[in-house]
Amino acid sequence: MLQAFQQHRWPLVIVWVLIIAAIVAAPAVLPVFGLKLLGRFLSLSIVALGIDLIWGFTGLLSLGQGIFFALGGYAVAMYLQLNSSSEQPNGIPEFFSLYGVDQLPGFWQPFYSPWFTLIAIWLIPALLAALLGNLVFRNRIKGVYFSILTQAALLVFFNFFNGQQKLINGTNGLKTGVTKLFGEEVGSDLMQRGFFWLTALIVILAWLAVRWVVRGRFGEVLIAIRDDEPRLRFAGYNPTLFKTIVFAMAGGLAGIGGALYTVQSGIVSPQYMTVPYSIDMVIWVAVGGRGTLIGAILGALVINLVKFQFQSLWPEGWLFVLGGLFILVVTVLPEGVIGWLQAGGPRNLLTRLGVPRRIGTYPRLEIDGKEEAKS
Amino acid sequence: MTTALLEMRQISVSFDGFMALRDLNLSLQPGELRAVIGPNGAGKTTFLDVITGKLRPTAGDVLFKGRSLLNKPEHRIARLGIGRKFQSPRVFENLTVEENLALAVSHPKRPWPLLSAGLSAVERDRIAHLMGIVSLQTRAHQVAGSLSHGQKQWLEIAMLVGQSPDLLLVDEPVAGLTDEETDLTADLLKSLVGDHTVLVIDHDMEFIRRLESQVSVLHQGHVLCEGSMDQIQCDPRVIEVYLGRNEEAA
Ligand SMILES: Nc1ncnc2c1ncn2[C@@H]1O[C@H](COP(=O)(O)OP(=O)(O)OP(=O)(O)O)[C@@H](O)[C@H]1O
Ligand SMILES: [Mg+2]
């Protein structure tokens, strides 16, 4: 048992080494443009970690993570806009004047405070997720109905943000590139390098946090919920509570990812809350490997890298590739790439291709077997 | 007069007009072992559903330690001290044998303590002890989904015992077990009696006989009669229920 575990561990170690090496080497070898890109993808892997927590471990397939992602982005963008608009007419962000608004809407006010913003980035999405989740979970809405409800919520939020020009600049979103932070332009090379390191650090912290939750007894309860939630109730556990907690946590992670993504892409807009984008997020995790945290990170990184490369070559083709990838994973690699590696996939593939398997304890067994068959 | 641990009063359950339980009365004294038998569809599983909060009765009341269980969610009823083993074994397939037992044994069952602390030494010992009782020590780190049917049955029984409820509701614990395992299960259940109150549902008459307990016969959602195994086997109504229809048909 232990031996088999160790045998299948090396692919994970390699993946980890590659990711860490890429992160450490990136600032030295990549131009700032490339660094920003990698930083953005790392931000997305934080969202993926949250999805893995609720879907991979707990069995909750949310198609609405874009809500929390965008909320985190809007929170940081609102702060940056306020922080840089003292020279603007009325001292409020420029876009307001386009719509003849000369008074800052009330809900913008707290975002003058950097501390409030730092907390709001994760707390608002987490609270919203807790509220939404609790409502759904306590009514015992499960499975595909939960997924549909999250998608419906996503549509509501998308339409609201898309339509409210006077409140939040509607479909144009909020730009952060030329805003200022610590007296420095957010889009500047220096700032972007800083954001890259910050993102890398937070990926590691998020990974540690999720790992802490899924390892150990809390994690066992999550898996039990995924396996047989009604049964768990009769053992004295309240699944609603556990589900609400992890859904809130995933919401918070999505918010943090959204904020980091926003400052590195220079904009937050309702496009972050489209239905296809939230489905993309789920596919990253499915491809990387549900229930393996490194799989979620890797899935988000690799798919987005491929997507980026692809879109400059053949923009319309990406959806086909993504669809194909999804079908491939569902049919051939239901556990995702990392799940496949962990289950000894490469070894099995070699065996199928005719390379004999070495047997640890009885090296002669196979030969003996053949001898016997001959005689 | 001793107060009953569990008292079901005039329980009725109707599924779209079909009465699965009709004015069912049943009470259990603390420390009692009770067997419930009855033909398929008699309502045995349904009445466990009512006690454990899975199903709300159409009429009647269930009292446990003098308090009504109606309107309480399942996990609260479980925490009051009622444990249940399901008819077809339900274990958590992606958790190991040890983890399954840890879930049952673990106390408290709220999120924060589970996050912040591991199992105590006492709980660890208890898990090892339970695995010993059901001979699953060698399978401790195997996922429960890969166990045989009989092993799952035993694992679930061990989980039920590990939960240390005051009242154990055991639905067909020996279905699919060998004779030897059946005997061991009977001994295990009997060893719990006194400290715990146990209610066992089964079809296996030999097993029920071994329990040497009071037997309640359920028929069409109603308690037909109660008594020792010998008494009820001579009861003409029971013979009628179990054999009568064959005679009618013949
Ligand atoms: N959810 C339901 N909806 C409709 N009818 C139901 C439902 N659950 C149970 N029944 C019916 O209620 C009756 C009693 O079912 P129950 O499962 O309690 O029987 P049982 O005594 O446990 O039988 P068995 O020995 O086969 O396990 C059956 O006729 C069954 O068809
Ligand atoms: Mg039944």
Side-chain angles (χ1 to χ4, degrees), chain A residues 152-355:
Chain A
L154 180 74
L155 283 167
V156 169
F157 273 83
F158 172 82
N159 283 321
F160 179 79
F161 278 77
N162 207 37
Q164 295 298 323
Q165 288 169 323
K166 291 186 175 181
L167 289 181
I168 199 97
N169 205 16
T171 185
N172 300 320
L174 304 176
K175 296 214 166 63
T176 62
V178 295
T179 59
K180 294 232 167 82
L181 186 63
F182 309 127
E184 187 78 33
E185 218 166 72
V186 168
S188 70
D189 286 4
L190 182 72
M191 278 306 225
Q192 291 297 318
R193 283 184 185 277
F195 282 131
F196 176 83
W197 283 117
L198 183 65
T199 310
L201 179 73
I202 293 181
V203 171
I204 305 283
L205 290 180
W207 174 73
L208 285 172
V210 176
R211 203 174 95 113
W212 176 59
V213 170
V214 300
R215 291 266 177 108
R217 299 200 290 157
F218 191 95
E220 284 159 21
V221 174
L222 298 183
I223 294 173
I225 289 174
R226 192 185 65 191
D227 276 358
D228 191 346
E229 180 181 339
R231 173 69 181 87
L232 193 63
R233 295 177 192 275
F234 297 104
Y237 293 85
N238 181 6
T240 306
L241 207 55
F242 288 85
K243 285 158 79 175
T244 304
I245 289 171
V246 291
F247 194 52
M249 192 170 162
L253 286 170
I256 294 170
L260 290 166
Y261 188 85
T262 298
V263 291
Q264 290 173 93
S265 62
I267 186 168
V268 58
S269 82
Q271 288 308 307
Y272 292 6
M273 285 188 275
T274 58
V275 167
Y277 197 50
S278 285
I279 293 177
D280 272 15
M281 294 174 177
V282 167
I283 296 181
W284 306 333
V285 178
V287 172
R290 255 183 304 163
T292 66
L293 298 182
I294 184 71
I297 296 177
L298 192 77
L301 285 181
V302 173
I303 294 184
N304 281 292
L305 266 170
V306 176
K307 177 182 180 179
F308 178 78
Q309 293 297 334
F310 215 86
Q311 276 181 333
S312 49
L313 295 174
W314 182 31
E316 316 85 64
W318 171 247
L319 272 183
F320 293 101
V321 175
L322 192 67
L325 209 61
F326 189 62
I327 292 172
L328 185 81
V329 164
V330 168
T331 53
V332 184
L333 304 175
E335 305 296 319
V337 174
I338 296 290
W340 178 72
L341 288 177
Q342 259 180 338
R347 189 55 257 188
N348 293 341
L349 193 67
L350 282 181
T351 312
R352 255 197 234 173
L353 294 175
V355 182

Side-chain angles (χ1 to χ4, degrees), chain A residues 140 217 227-228 235-237, chain B residues 74 79 90 94 103 106 109:
Chain A
R140 307 206 175 175
R217 299 200 290 157
D227 276 358
D228 191 346
Y237 293 85
Chain B
E74 296 94 320
R79 286 183 196 171
R90 274 167 85 174
N94 284 297
L103 271 186
S106 161
K109 303 189 170 184

Side-chain angles (χ1 to χ4, degrees), chain B residues 39-46 48 84 87-88 171-172 201 203:
Chain B
N40 291 114
K44 304 182 293 296
T45 302
T46 305
L48 293 196
R84 172 174 188 182
Q87 184 161 356
S88 52
D171 202 348
E172 305 208 10
I201 290 175
H203 284 298

